[in-house]
Amino acid sequence: MSKKTPLDRRGFLKIAGRYGYTSALLAVAGTVGPLTLEGVGTAAAATAADRDKKPLKTLKFGASGFNEQNLKIQESGQLWFAKRLEEASDGALQIEFIGSNAICNQLDCVKKTQQGIVDLFTASTQNSAGSAPYYNVLDFAYMFPSRAAQHHFFYHPKSEQLLREPMRRLHNIQFLYTHCELRGLMMGKKFADAPTITSIDELAGTKNRVTGTQLGRIAMQLMELNPVPIAWEETLDGLKQGLIDGAETWMGAAAYANMSPVLSQAVDLRFFCGTEHTAMNNKTFESLPADLQDVVMETSFEAQQYTQREQERALVEVVGAVDNPPAGTVFGDNGVRVATLSDEEIHKAEQMCSPEYRPAEWEQWRERLNKMSGGLDVYQEIYDIAREISKDTEVASVEARRWWQG
């Protein structure tokens, strides 16, 4: 039996040069088990042959960060979605996937989608909020009590009125689906020798990277976490050099961005959304024939279910986002401790920073977003929807609903 060659960067680029970058990436995404040069090469040849049809429409898909090396760490479904879209449209739609920040990054993918430079993009809603402010509607502190509550909202028919319609109207963005995590603080090596953090008070005065969301900064300021705006691509260097004590992000993102070697503790504050979403230029969407619009929506619905299932598995089995991360997980192998705060400590943090307890600090943004929505009290509406299910509901138990059908 011949020995298989492990897939490395050079091998991947060789395959991509022969069969095309997207076909090579789709082959990696579809491979079960170890990635080998021979296995991925064979899969890429078959994928390229399957895709060898003249499409009605080729869609450029800009993805910040994602490449063949981190696809299995955060299961936010982009390549699964791309492949399924081609299959479901019987080749009428073909996706040109451009990852690794090659065409856009976390902060400007949304802008390039609005401009039509790319048709589809993936980035966090928080980093996209700088160019499309209505995304801030997801980022009120402690609006979502759990990942299950997030999924419940994104499947909810009212998400159309509260999120998706204003995004189309105001920003030319068709919000398709998203992965769901909640943000905490990823602490650098300064905390390596410190006891595992158990209280929000232990973090007071630290200096931490914050995303593009304006609302995240409000919460961090109220918790005395000194938000420092640093581009996602520069966060790793900031932690390495000790310019910041920690970074506000979610655990899956910390793992896929190779941040773990410079981390010591992942503090599970769960204080606002971490949503790596996929969206589309709305004019492009509306230019598609009605049957292909249906394909895009149905595939988005399937992709939401994919992330609901696969990201929960990856958090445990791949990232190690659990107490005492085991060997063989990203956190376990890098010595990153997960600091799980008690319900009492989470409630204390909520009292420090949420609109429920500090309404005056949020009033200006609430009024602005309410006007943008057309007069709805969007924070209260989403807050209430997030509590339609019990706090201890498992993510897997959340009912999948076609949000656009009412």
Side-chain angles (χ1 to χ4, degrees), residues 195-370:
T196 302
I197 291 163
T198 59
S199 170
I200 183 68
D201 299 332
E202 296 169 55
L203 296 166
T206 55
K207 189 162 65 171
N208 299 283
R209 172 262 181 184
V210 67
T211 58
T213 173
Q214 290 89 334
L215 272 63
R217 295 176 201 185
I218 295 172
M220 291 177 74
Q221 285 161 350
L222 291 172
M223 289 189 286
E224 299 179 26
L225 298 177
N226 297 319
V228 181
I230 297 177
W232 179 239
E233 292 76 18
E234 297 166 13
T235 301
L236 192 59
D237 280 341
L239 284 165
K240 274 182 186 173
Q241 296 168 24
L243 300 175
I244 49 177
D245 298 308
E248 162 271 292
T249 188
W250 64 88
M251 295 191 206
Y256 94 76
N258 198 31
M259 197 185 282
S260 301
V262 299
L263 298 181
S264 58
Q265 301 191 41
V267 186
D268 194 17
L269 257 181
R270 306 194 298 271
F271 70 117
F272 73 106
C273 271
T275 33
E276 190 78 12
H277 81 310
T278 295
M280 188 173 186
N281 178 300
N282 189 53
K283 288 177 183 172
T284 301
F285 174 80
E286 290 182 342
S287 74
L288 297 175
D291 61 328
L292 291 183
Q293 289 184 19
D294 289 343
V295 166
V296 171
M297 295 309 295
E298 280 294 325
T299 306
S300 300
F301 176 60
E302 292 174 11
Q304 189 69 50
Q305 293 170 82
Y306 176 92
T307 66
Q308 180 184 3
R309 177 181 68 251
E310 294 300 322
Q311 176 58 16
E312 290 299 302
R313 179 194 55 76
L315 275 173
V316 175
E317 297 178 9
V318 182
V319 177
V322 293
D323 291 334
N324 304 311
T329 62
V330 175
F331 281 1
D333 291 347
N334 286 282
V336 180
R337 287 172 280 159
V338 174
T340 304
L341 303 184
S342 67
D343 288 346
E344 290 76 20
E345 279 299 315
I346 293 291
H347 184 59
K348 185 175 13 172
E350 187 177 353
Q351 288 176 309
M352 292 171 74
C353 71
S354 85
E356 295 300 294
Y357 297 93
R358 303 290 296 270
E361 285 83 351
W362 299 91
E363 188 175 349
Q364 187 176 351
W365 264 103
R366 285 186 72 169
E367 287 181 2
R368 181 180 179 187
L369 290 165
N370 290 348

